[in-house]
Amino acid sequence: MTTVNAASDASVYKVEALIAEDIDAYLELHQHKTLLRFITCGSVDDGKSTLIGRLLYDSKMIFEDQLAALEADSKRVGTQGQEIDFALLVDGLAAEREQGITIDVAYRFFGTEKRKFIVADTPGHEQYTRNMVTGASTADLAVILIDARKGVLTQTRRHSYLAHLIGIRHIVLAVNKMDLVDYDQKVFDDIVADYRAFAESIGIRDFVAMPISGFKGDNITGLSPNTPWYRGPALMEHLETVEVDQVSDQAKPFRMPVQWVNRPNLDFRGFSGLIAAGTVKPGDKVRVLPSGKTSTVTRVVTMDGDLDAGVAGQSVTITLADEIDCSRGDVIAAADNPPQAADQFEATIVWMSDEEMLPGRPYWLKLGTQTVSASIQAPKYQVNVNTMEHLAAKTLELNAIGVANLSTDRNLVFEPYDDSRSLGGFILIDKITNATVAAGMLHFSLRRAQNVHWQATDISREHHAALKHQKPAVLWFTGLSGAGKSTIANLVEKKLARMNRHTFLLDGDNVRHGLNKDLGFTDADRVENIRRVGEVAKLMTDAGLIVITAFISPFRAERDMVRAMMAPGEFVEVHIDTPLAAAEARDVKGLYAKARSGQLKNFTGIDSPYEAPEDPEIHIDTTAMTAEEAADAIVARLIP
Amino acid sequence: MVADPKTLTHLERLEAESIHILREVVAECEKPVMLYSVGKDSAVMLHLARKAFYPSPPPFPLLHVDTTWKFRAMYELRDRMARESGMELLVYHNPEAQERGINPFDHGALHTDMWKTEGLKQALDKYGFDAAFGGARRDEEKSRAKERVFSFRSANHRWDPKNQRPELWNLYNARKNKGESIRVFPISNWTELDIWQYIQLNDVPIVPLYFADKRPTVERDGMLLMVDDDRFPLKPGEVPVERSIRFRTLGCYPLTGAVESEAKTLSEVIQETLLTTTSERQGRAIDKDAGGAGMEKKKQEGYF
């Protein structure tokens, strides 16, 4: 059997006695517990799962039936011989149990008289940066585990960097497996000194180091007689007393992102949300962002009665004295100290998807209760999470961390992440797959956003269009290479010119000779190619022109991005639909032959995908009509 | 600014988190519903929903996927809570299970599969709900510990544990692909003790079966079953015995084992819970199929 140290035996006994003798006293004690969320990180064999299993065991969170199953499992698949393998309690999913490793974020719960704990158990593998960042995002504290026999490893540095990056204020360095180095103080001191040098170099100002054994139970619930040279605290004591962020957040100015407007009848209009920072009470002057309108708080409403004050961490509904515009996505803040709004930022981005980041592609950005469209520029640099070196990068792949500028399609109410996790942390969502592809942390808004203003001009786009007696439009041709886009586009332009329309044809090949000659054919470059063409087409519609574009434009997301740039109704998507086999058979430019033989990479339809429009304004089936007939059909649709 | 910061208790923080989740779903989903099983976890979830939207009633219906084999006391509380909360109550019975007379005595695992797993899928499809709140907790079982708060199901209601969206801070991505629906677990981070304490502090109404009383029982395969109505087929020579029992978990009465107990008040129930040495789901026959991976397998197939 395992050794359970004397201190933990005694405390378990005390708790049981209280429960048995005076349950009401016990419950009274537990009503006032606070909550600490923390994460444990370590390499595969550092004993993370064992430590968590130990905490669950020592705090009596393992029931007898689970213990019996654990003992049986330990003998069958355990790695500790005939002893209890605590790791088996924690490793959840079937596939993982077979592999013997933890591969996702799992949450565990245990409690003492003083606190309830939620532990995010996150894996130590290189490919799983995203899991650790996820687990760390809600944590007040991080336990960084080190194997006393191995000292500070690459993984230790990576975990510490990530914990610091995500803004965890309390770091515990748990030097584990002290039993395997004979509880030698020198081993411990050397590791701590090593770690201190590294921690300071990345900006970790403070940490608490402790020598432990998760397996034997040393310095977990009480100080161990095996390490008389260690004065404490024991791990549990530290976890029970460290200050939680919910308390420190109250000292900050008031902020509440509005989640939902509560309007049961005409007499009540409340704004519901989770208070992100500060406190709020009736009589407080508040400002609603981004509109900037001010009002006064009249009530802090809950079902249990109105509150004298709401504090950071509470979900409340507040009412205001004035009927001002305020809806989901707005932020209600202290009137004299509101957050800023901007549309261009620098941010750290953690990429979490198998599909790499595409600079220029619009993604949904969710921050607080705001969701906007955002595009990211090519990264300024990527961080090597093992060495903290800055590397040049054109994109970010799964588990990569980089710094980049991004712009949003409208103003975002924000605070730097260092000041506020709630108003500085965001996720990016792919617009097509709806997957969460990245997490990010805003550093600051770019001065550009503050200093570059839109210059109003006296000759409006309507004026330009009226002079030309036409309604501007973009005829956006999309289709495979060799589908007939350029041919049909050219015919359309000739027909429109004969009808005295002012047009301009932007052709894919031609643009790549000038404006876009710096771009290649990678996915990222294709996105940028289309973004630039979209911006040019937009300027031309402002000038009153009918713009015809002929680009393969293979990705739905970018075509939708261009559509969103244009005035409603001015974007006309024309799908020149030619089956791959037919286009390849024509092969006017000999490109398919080259692509098939491998001389040409990233060729649409061969080794790069074409995403056909789902619902184009005009659909041309080139197998059913001639180019001439197609052009007539398009002109007829544009000018009825 | 308040000079003396208020440290929220663990229950206050859990409550705030759950309310935040409930509101996010209502703000971002088109047609949410709350799955209401009438157990103590459902009771807390419903109470949280009433708090989240107060003074409005929760802006979604309650859905009870019924098996017709619940305890009578459960049906009583269900109807009462729907009235008190001002919410619409939808009760769904799988018509095929009804027609074939599927029951826990003759059909074993098929009973749960048809009434609950299939019934739930049918009900969600019938009404076209795109998000369903469920009262599952991460501390109940190992595979739940890794499930997200927003858990996506494919068009055929399958869960893919390898393809879950990361959940950071309190930001939830509620965007769905065509045909997908979401199961949302607002009380993911609550433990059994948290639930009991919350019920006590907030006077949340729960089914009286959680408290000990004299009830007619028979003992089968080591489980104490309550003879709740005359559909219970007694074996030759079997006579129901009055015992002081209560339930730690509630499901279909022929599948739910009772424990002998004298705990008549909430404090006594909590006391017994804390001193007990077997975990909560042990009373349910359903988890015992397929060894340790039983629940994970059921979930992949579409069980809640």
Side-chain angles (χ1 to χ4, degrees), chain A residues 237-252:
Chain A
E237 180 191 347
H238 184 62
L239 295 176
E240 280 181 332
T241 51
V242 74
E243 186 189 61
V244 297
D245 292 347
Q246 183 265 323
V247 173
S248 51
D249 281 345
Q250 287 175 53
K252 299 174 181 173

Side-chain angles (χ1 to χ4, degrees), chain A residues 64 96 116 250 262 304, chain B residues 6 51 56 146 194 267 277:
Chain A
E64 201 170 80
E96 295 168 29
K116 164 173 169 141
Q250 287 175 53
N262 194 336
D304 303 318
Chain B
K6 175 177 160 62
K51 283 196 178 190
S56 298
K146 302 199 173 186
D194 297 331
S267 293
T277 49

Side-chain angles (χ1 to χ4, degrees), chain A residues 19 24 33 35 37 64-65 88 94 96 116 134 137 250 259 262 304 315 328 366 417 434 436, chain B residues 6 10 13 16 20 24 28 51 53 56 142 146 169 172-173 176 189 194 267 271 277 279 296:
Chain A
I19 294 170
D24 291 319
K33 277 195 295 197
L35 175 67
R37 302 184 71 132
E64 201 170 80
D65 57 330
L88 291 176
E96 295 168 29
K116 164 173 169 141
T134 302
S137 71
Q250 287 175 53
Q259 267 191 297
N262 194 336
D304 303 318
S315 283
R328 177 173 170 84
K366 186 172 182 187
Y417 185 79
N434 288 321
T436 303
Chain B
K6 175 177 160 62
H10 73 295
R13 289 188 62 194
H20 173 78
E24 278 301 286
E28 298 219 336
K51 283 196 178 190
F53 302 101
S56 298
K142 275 195 269 190
K146 302 199 173 186
W169 301 289
Y172 299 101
N173 171 4
K176 298 170 294 286
N189 288 328
D194 297 331
S267 293
Q271 181 175 39
T277 49
S279 73
E296 185 181 342

Side-chain angles (χ1 to χ4, degrees), chain B residues 59-285:
Chain B
F60 42 79
L62 293 170
L63 172 64
H64 183 216
V65 179
D66 189 22
T67 65
T68 73
W69 288 94
K70 302 293 172 190
F71 292 92
R72 282 174 300 163
M74 293 173 73
Y75 293 116
E76 283 161 26
L77 184 75
R78 179 193 73 186
D79 296 344
R80 187 187 124 201
M81 290 316 295
R83 273 197 309 278
E84 283 182 13
S85 64
M87 296 165 78
E88 183 187 4
L89 171 68
L90 304 169
V91 177
Y92 187 84
H93 297 126
N94 177 352
E96 197 194 337
Q98 198 144 33
E99 196 175 304
R100 286 172 58 185
I102 301 296
N103 69 74
F105 298 106
D106 303 324
H107 301 102
L110 187 65
H111 169 78
T112 306
D113 183 54
M114 288 198 64
W115 282 111
K116 289 181 78 173
T117 310
E118 285 308 313
L120 173 64
K121 291 184 205 174
Q122 289 171 2
L124 294 178
D125 289 344
K126 176 184 169 187
Y127 293 102
F129 294 120
D130 64 342
F133 294 110
R137 308 190 319 265
R138 284 174 172 152
D139 79 325
E140 281 176 89
E141 200 265 338
K142 275 195 269 190
S143 83
R144 282 198 169 145
K146 302 199 173 186
E147 187 161 14
R148 304 291 187 255
V149 173
F150 280 52
S151 188
F152 288 75
R153 297 291 188 274
S154 65
N156 38 14
H157 300 279
R158 285 185 75 91
W159 178 53
D160 179 4
K162 294 275 177 227
N163 190 19
Q164 301 196 80
R165 294 179 181 173
E167 283 176 351
L168 294 110
W169 301 289
N170 55 12
L171 293 175
Y172 299 101
N173 171 4
R175 290 178 179 270
K176 298 170 294 286
N177 296 313
K178 221 174 203 165
E180 273 184 345
S181 60
I182 322 180
R183 305 285 193 274
V184 183
F185 304 109
I187 55 168
S188 283
N189 288 328
W190 296 57
T191 60
E192 186 180 9
L193 179 58
D194 297 331
I195 294 286
W196 281 120
Q197 285 207 293
Y198 191 80
I199 287 170
Q200 186 178 43
L201 289 172
N202 288 271
D203 287 327
V204 179
I206 53 170
V207 182
L209 295 166
Y210 285 114
F211 303 104
D213 205 347
K214 289 242 182 291
R215 298 182 172 105
T217 60
V218 297
E219 196 178 337
R220 280 191 189 167
D221 305 329
M223 288 219 303
L224 269 184
L225 298 178
M226 173 174 160
V227 184
D228 193 46
D229 59 38
D230 51 20
R231 291 181 296 175
F232 195 108
L234 294 171
K235 290 178 180 163
E238 211 173 38
V239 181
V241 180
E242 288 268 314
R243 289 184 175 93
S244 177
I245 56 157
R246 63 176 203 90
F247 293 85
R248 301 185 58 198
T249 174
L250 292 174
C252 292
Y253 80 80
L255 294 173
T256 309
V259 290
E260 288 199 76
S261 166
E262 298 295 335
K264 289 184 180 349
T265 67
L266 259 178
S267 293
E268 286 166 2
V269 167
I270 299 174
Q271 181 175 39
E272 206 176 81
T273 304
L274 289 172
L275 293 175
T276 197
T277 49
T278 50
S279 73
E280 185 180 4
R281 297 195 70 89
Q282 193 77 341
R284 290 199 195 172

